[in-house]
C-alpha cells in the first residue's frame, strides 16, 4: 500500500500562482511514476503532468509553459508549481502514484481560480 497526502490547494485570482505538494509513504518501489490529474465538475479526470523517478516529464498541452512538475526522491514528494492560472484550471487535483503493479490516488485538493 502507498499513501498519498496532498496539500497546497486553495482559491486564487486569475494570473496567480499555487504550489501543490504530494507526499508518498508506504511500500514505495524504486521505479515509479508520480503525477497530477484533475477533474472539473461534469468532466472526466485528465492528466495534468507526471514525472518519473529519473526526472522525465509529460504535460497536458493546456498547461505547458505555465505548470512545472518536480519531485524530491529523498522525500518521496512530488510538486506542481502552477503559474498564470486561469479560471479553466479550476478543478479537484489528484496526486497519483504508479509502479509496476499498483496504482494509488490521493484524496484530492481543490483549486479554484476566480476571474
Amino acid at each position: 500500500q502507498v499513501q498519498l497526502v496532498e496539500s497546497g490547494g486553495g482559491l486564487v485570482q486569475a494570473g496567480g500562482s499555487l504550489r501543490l505538494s504530494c507526499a508518498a509513504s508506504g511500500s514505495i518501489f524504486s521505479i515509479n511514476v508520480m503525477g497530477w490529474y484533475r477533474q472539473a465538475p461534469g468532466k472526466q479526470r485528465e492528466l495534468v503532468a507526471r514525472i518519473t523517478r529519473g526526472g522525465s516529464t509529460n504535460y497536458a498541452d493546456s498547461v505547458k509553459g505555465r505548470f512545472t512538475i518536480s519531485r524530491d526522491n529523498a522525500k518521496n514528494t512530488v510538486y506542481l508549481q502552477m503559474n498564470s492560472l486561469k479560471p479553466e484550471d479550476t478543478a479537484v487535483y489528484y496526486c497519483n502514484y504508479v509502479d509496476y503493479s499498483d496504482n494509488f490516488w490521493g484524496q484530492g485538493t481543490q483549486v479554484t481560480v476566480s476571474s
Side-chain angles (χ1 to χ4, degrees):
Q1 288 287 326
V2 172
Q3 295 77 42
L4 302 172
V5 178
E6 301 143 335
S7 61
L11 173 64
V12 65
Q13 288 188 331
S17 298
L18 283 174
R19 189 192 194 207
L20 305 183
S21 300
C22 173
S25 61
S27 301
I28 297 169
F29 284 88
S30 59
I31 299 175
N32 62 70
V33 179
M34 294 186 71
W36 292 93
Y37 288 70
R38 67 187 180 187
Q39 187 166 19
K43 295 188 177 181
Q44 290 189 329
R45 190 173 297 189
E46 63 177 2
L47 172 70
V48 177
R50 59 190 174 195
I51 184 169
T52 68
R53 191 172 174 86
S56 296
T57 59
N58 292 103
Y59 292 92
D61 288 342
S62 59
V63 306
K64 284 180 181 177
R66 300 187 298 122
F67 292 10
T68 302
I69 191 169
S70 61
R71 64 187 289 170
D72 184 333
N73 290 330
K75 296 181 179 179
N76 292 316
T77 299
V78 64
Y79 307 96
L80 186 68
Q81 178 65 44
M82 304 185 293
N83 299 328
S84 302
L85 282 161
K86 305 175 182 180
E88 51 264 44
D89 294 318
T90 295
V92 178
Y93 283 69
Y94 295 92
C95 181
N96 177 252
Y97 166 98
V98 177
D99 62 34
Y100 79 99
S101 65
D102 287 308
N103 187 348
F104 295 97
W105 294 92
Q107 79 282 1
T109 184
Q110 177 71 45
V111 171
T112 302
V113 184
S114 63
S115 57

